[in-house]
């Protein structure tokens, strides 16, 4: 029971209170870049959830069973980014072979994920926060969910913005930033939430 | 096949060279980093308990060593410990200096990432100085019936700090009151 | 002559932050104070210049198939060096920037310059491109951080610059302020372009 409560608290923290995009400023490039349509936002979101969970799993194992025993923690950044890059590549190949339909939906987003700082960010955070294996995986999953949530919300707003009458100078990026600011204001209301 | 072996080889060479360079640099930055961390803690201890000339570890609290400080004559000058609790958005860690009669001598916030402009104001000296001379019973926020005046708009942060200190003081009293008679006894035997 | 152009383009015409909207994460995350902004800018510039130098030097030996992973290893090495050196010599700044130092690895500006410029141009031009882009990034950071720190804390580089009667607009140094200031600045840049 206590474990469940802990998992619940972690989910709330990762999705709302410490939302990766709005509160931690991680993964902003895809947040601004792939949020013009709800469909593509959903595709990107799914791909990110998948890769973040996988990345959390493998980087935790590499840190605990390779870097720490060999006392080469200083290679963390290189090891993690290479793990993520190969993981993305592997996932791309596997999906392409086994699920062509899924590949069609996610394919274009996968290469972009390597340079999504939310993925490397969650991997490093898991280590810094000294999470156990299970919690590291869950943190990856929840952080991905939080990312997808705000990405889809943003896409919904931007689909409407396309039709709004805006001053020419504010169209596109500038207004996207202002919208993000308003969303961050709303998410600020979650901070301090504790269970 | 041969082509792919070459690719792998080139990548391997790059990685090995990079690791070698990093290992070399790590070799001389690591001791400096360790020394910095040790020094920072030592300085914080000296700051909250300036009367002490030497420190002996007596216990552990929040995975940090609890120290008993002795002055130049070898008498007990007080204790230091690290109080730590989760505040509004982060763990707030405070170094506490305690007098031998279990009153707070001085505190120093050593780690926090609370909201800038609100909770983060806990690092200001005006806030930290109000803890001086207070004991466990009044170590509560004014709203909870204690004597600690909270920062405007950041009661949670203030409460966290007060509570973490109270827990620490209680812990310190327990271990010290228990061990004291033993010490007196031991001294009697040796004399 | 053209070398000077490589240098200046990064500062204004192709400013990586305002014009190309690259590397937004660190820009928004560490711009709550000017001090952090300068630290981040310096760290990123160092990585940018040295990875540009290295990639420009070794580009002939790397088969194009493993170009990207090789670049990433080079960049990650320099990031790790910056990380270690900063932790040893400026621990307070290192703590403030925290996670965003290792995350320089995935900063699109650096990989972008490696791929688009240093992998195709000679050493001298790559160096100037790196310095220019790094300075452009740093300047953008400082501009945003100045606005946020003055409005949000009434301070500049930690010194009080506004009268005591001014009540700081806290929101400017909180997360939403980063987005709002950035959005308004981008709009302003658009206005100037027209």
């Amino acid at each position: 029971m206590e474990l469940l409560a802990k998992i619940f608290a972690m989910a709330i923290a990762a999705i709302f209170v410490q939302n990766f995009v709005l509160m931690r400023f991680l993964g902003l490039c895809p947040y601004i870049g792939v949020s013009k349509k709800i469909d593509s936002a959903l595709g990107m979101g799914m791909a990110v959830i998948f890769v973040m969970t996988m990345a959390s799993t493998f980087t935790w194992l590499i840190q605990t069973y390779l870097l720490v025993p060999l006392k080469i923690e200083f290679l963390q950044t290189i090891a993690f980014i290479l793990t993520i890059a190969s993981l993305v590549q592997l996932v791309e190949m596997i999906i392409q072979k086994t699920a062509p339909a899924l590949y069609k939906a996610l394919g274009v987003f996968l290469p972009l994920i390597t340079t999504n700082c939310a993925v490397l960010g969650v991997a490093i955070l898991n280590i810094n926060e000294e999470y156990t294996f299970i919690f590291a995986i869950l943190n990856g999953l929840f952080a991905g969910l939080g990312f997808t949530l705000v990405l889809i919300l943003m896409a919904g707003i931007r689909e409407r913005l396309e039709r709004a009458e805006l001053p020419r100078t504010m169209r596109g990026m500038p207004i996207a930033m202002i919208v993000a600011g308003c969303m961050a204001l709303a998410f600020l209301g979650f901070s301090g939430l504790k269970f | 096949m041969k082509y792919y072996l070459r690719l792998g080889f080139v990548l391997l060479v790059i990685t090995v060279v990079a690791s070698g360079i990093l290992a070399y640099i790590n070799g001389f930055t690591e001791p400096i980093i360790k020394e910095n961390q040790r020094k920072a803690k030592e300085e914080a201890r000296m700051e909250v308990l300036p009367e002490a000339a030497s420190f002996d570890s007596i216990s552990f609290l929040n995975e940090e060593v609890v120290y008993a400080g002795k002055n130049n004559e070898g008498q007990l000058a007080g204790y230091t410990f690290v109080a730590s609790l989760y505040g509004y958005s982060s763990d707030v860690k405070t170094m506490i200096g305690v007098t031998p009669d279990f009153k707070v001598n001085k505190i120093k916030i050593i780690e926090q990432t609370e909201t800038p402009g609100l909770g983060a104001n806990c690092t200001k000296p005006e806030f930290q100085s109000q803890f001086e001379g207070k004991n466990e019973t009044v170590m509560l926020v004014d709203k909870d019936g204690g004597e600690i005046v909270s920062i405007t708009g950041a009661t949670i942060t203030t409460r966290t700090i007060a509570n973490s200190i109270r827990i620490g003081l209680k812990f310190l009293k327990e271990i010290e009151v228990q061990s004291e008679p033993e010490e007196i006894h031991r001294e009697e035997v040796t004399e | 002559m053209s070398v000077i152009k490589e240098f200046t383009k990064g500062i204004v015409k192709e400013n990586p932050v305002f014009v190309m909207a690259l590397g937004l994460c660190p820009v928004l995350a560490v711009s709550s104070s000017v001090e952090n902004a300068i630290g981040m800018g310096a760290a990123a510039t160092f990585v940018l210049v040295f990875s540009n130098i290295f990639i420009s030097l070794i580009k002939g030996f790397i088969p194009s198939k493993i170009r990207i992973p090789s670049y990433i290893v080079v960049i990650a090495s320099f990031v790790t060096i910056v990380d270690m050196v900063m932790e040893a010599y400026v621990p307070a700044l290192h703590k403030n920037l925290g996670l965003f130092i290792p995350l320089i690895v995935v900063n699109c500006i650096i990989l972008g310059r490696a791929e688009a410029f240093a992998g195709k141009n000679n050493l001298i031009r790559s160096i100037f491109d790196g310095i220019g882009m790094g300075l452009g990034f740093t300047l953008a950071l400082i501009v945003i951080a100045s606005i946020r720190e003055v409005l949000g804390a009434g301070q500049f580089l930690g010194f009080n610059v506004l009268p005591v009667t001014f009540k700081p607009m806290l929101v400017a140094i909180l997360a939403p302020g980063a987005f709002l200031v950035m959005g308004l600045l981008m709009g302003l840049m658009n206005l100037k372009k027209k």
Side-chain angles (χ1 to χ4, degrees), chain C residues 80-91:
Chain C
T80 313
I81 292 174
V82 168
D83 195 8
M84 295 189 298
V85 171
M86 281 180 89
E87 193 171 1
Y89 296 104
V90 278

Side-chain angles (χ1 to χ4, degrees), chain C residues 32 148-155 160 162 166 168-170 172-173:
Chain C
S32 57
R148 291 181 66 193
E149 197 181 343
V150 169
L151 287 183
Q155 296 180 326
N160 288 323
L162 291 175
F166 172 81
M169 295 185 263
L170 253 190
I173 46 171

Side-chain angles (χ1 to χ4, degrees), chain B residues 31-89:
Chain B
I32 301 176
I33 294 168
K34 289 241 168 82
E35 177 68 15
N36 279 347
Q37 286 166 347
R38 199 187 58 77
K39 237 193 221 155
K41 277 215 180 109
E42 198 180 283
E43 270 164 21
R45 273 207 302 277
M46 300 291 253
E47 205 183 313
V48 294
L49 201 66
E51 295 85 1
S54 66
F55 292 92
D56 302 316
S57 63
I58 52 170
S59 182
F60 281 91
L61 178 68
N62 303 319
E63 291 169 10
E64 299 272 1
V65 185
V66 178
Y67 287 96
K70 289 208 174 89
N71 62 14
N72 284 327
E73 283 93 51
Q75 282 165 323
L76 183 69
Y79 309 92
T80 66
F81 64 90
V82 176
S84 167
L85 266 184
Y86 192 82
Y88 192 70
S89 56

Side-chain angles (χ1 to χ4, degrees), chain B residues 3-4 6-7 10-11 14-15 18 22 25-26 29 32-33 36-37 110-111 115-118, chain C residues 58 61-63 65-66 69-70 73-74 77 80-81 84-85 87-89 91 95 170 173-174:
Chain B
Y3 176 66
Y4 283 97
R6 218 192 95 197
L7 289 188
V10 171
L11 206 52
I14 295 174
T15 319
L22 290 183
I25 293 177
N26 185 58
T29 54
I32 301 176
I33 294 168
N36 279 347
Q37 286 166 347
I110 48 176
E111 213 179 295
T115 322
L118 294 170
Chain C
I58 60 170
F61 305 100
I62 299 174
K65 265 221 151 136
I66 52 160
S70 319
V73 173
V74 172
S77 310
T80 313
I81 292 174
M84 295 189 298
V85 171
E87 193 171 1
Y89 296 104
K95 213 169 160 190
L170 253 190
I173 46 171
L174 298 180

